[in-house]
Amino acid sequence: MKVAVLGSGAMGCLFGAAFHRAEADVVLVDVNADHVDAINAGGLKLDLRGGSETLSIRAAVPSEISERFDLVMVFTKTFHTQAALEGIVSAIGEDTHLLSLQNGLGNDRRLAGFVSEDRVMVGASMLPSDLVGPGHIRSHGEGYSKLYPAFGSDTAMAERVAALLSEGGLETVLDPQIHAAIWSKAIFNAAMNPLCALTLRTPGFLGAHDEALATIHAVVEEGVAAAQANGLMIDAQPIHDLTRTSMTDHADHEASMLQDIKAGRRTEIDAISGAIVEAAKAKGMDVPVTQTLWRLVKLEEAKLATAL
């Protein structure tokens, strides 16, 4: 299988490495030229819980991509999806499938603007991964991934992708209730990411303070109520359990939103907390704690814009 990983930061490289181990023909595509050059010069360096390894994987900036792929896996920030796919449109052929494991809600419709609905897959991953530096990532936690066709019922390609990822060391399963899984991850992210970003601390810090624990609990309950109002009958307890795991097993992991704020970048708060607020509002519901965190992170983004 010819695979392009579009947005090969910490998570993209982690999944690209799994495809490579399973002997897929992989290209890591990213706009960060230093990162791309480092991978091409010295290989992709991975620090994993089980040890370290260096893999020889091709990397490229979007302008260098001309061939067509069987699968384009999208890991860009949600607000970059449109431009990123337009930047490698020559890589998308009549048989190319697109897969998003991005954060937030609404990624299925963004991908459907580039291929037919039967070639769109979506998923959710609970694996942690951090970018240590150009060509170097770290993933010291355990987790799993789920995926499924976003709109159809033909699972042939999804089965191939899940098998390759699992063979490459990342446990991946098919989940017919993938939209519920994506909502669950969005709720988890809405509970953990904004607090990490606002406090400039990792999950272990949050777990040590009652104020954070109460806020996290409230956001999970609000998110589950919003999901259920939108027809997704998800259970709150597994999400509560996952937040506790994040604060213990992944205590030192820097959430993506924290990384963005520290780096002076725009966050994905709109696709995560903002999307939950809007989905709740569409059903006549209020989610006040989620909305407050959304607004506070937007203020942090406004500060960054002013500083520039």
Side-chain angles (χ1 to χ4, degrees), residues 56-78:
S56 180
I57 306 178
R58 177 187 163 199
V61 295
S63 61
E64 296 173 334
I65 298 299
S66 58
E67 70 267 40
R68 292 189 171 180
F69 291 85
D70 301 308
L71 174 70
V72 175
M73 190 174 201
V74 184
F75 261 120
T76 64
K77 297 292 187 182
T78 52

Side-chain angles (χ1 to χ4, degrees), residues 14 17-18 20-21 42-48 50-56 135-137 168-169:
L14 186 67
H20 176 80
R21 293 189 202 98
L44 174 63
K45 298 177 176 61
L46 302 101
D47 294 336
L48 307 173
S52 298
E53 64 178 329
T54 300
L55 302 177
S56 180
H136 188 183
I137 70 165

Side-chain angles (χ1 to χ4, degrees), residues 10 14 45-48 128-132 136-141 252-254:
L14 186 67
K45 298 177 176 61
L46 302 101
D47 294 336
L48 307 173
S129 189
D130 298 310
L131 184 65
V132 179
H136 188 183
I137 70 165
R138 177 180 59 229
S139 180
H140 283 177
D252 296 324
H253 169 63
E254 286 203 352

Side-chain angles (χ1 to χ4, degrees), residues 185-195 219 272-273 276 290 293:
K185 184 182 178 183
I187 294 166
F188 165 81
N189 280 331
M192 300 300 298
N193 264 270
L195 283 174
V219 171
I272 300 172
S273 303
I276 292 171
T290 305
L293 293 178

Side-chain angles (χ1 to χ4, degrees), residues 232-267:
L232 294 158
M233 296 297 108
I234 62 179
D235 183 6
Q237 191 55 53
I239 307 175
H240 286 304
D241 293 342
L242 198 56
T243 64
R244 294 300 307 177
T245 298
S246 175
M247 291 181 278
T248 53
D249 290 9
H250 305 160
D252 296 324
H253 169 63
E254 286 203 352
S256 60
M257 207 170 288
L258 168 58
Q259 295 179 43
D260 290 338
I261 290 295
K262 288 174 65 175
R265 297 188 298 254
R266 180 183 174 186
T267 75

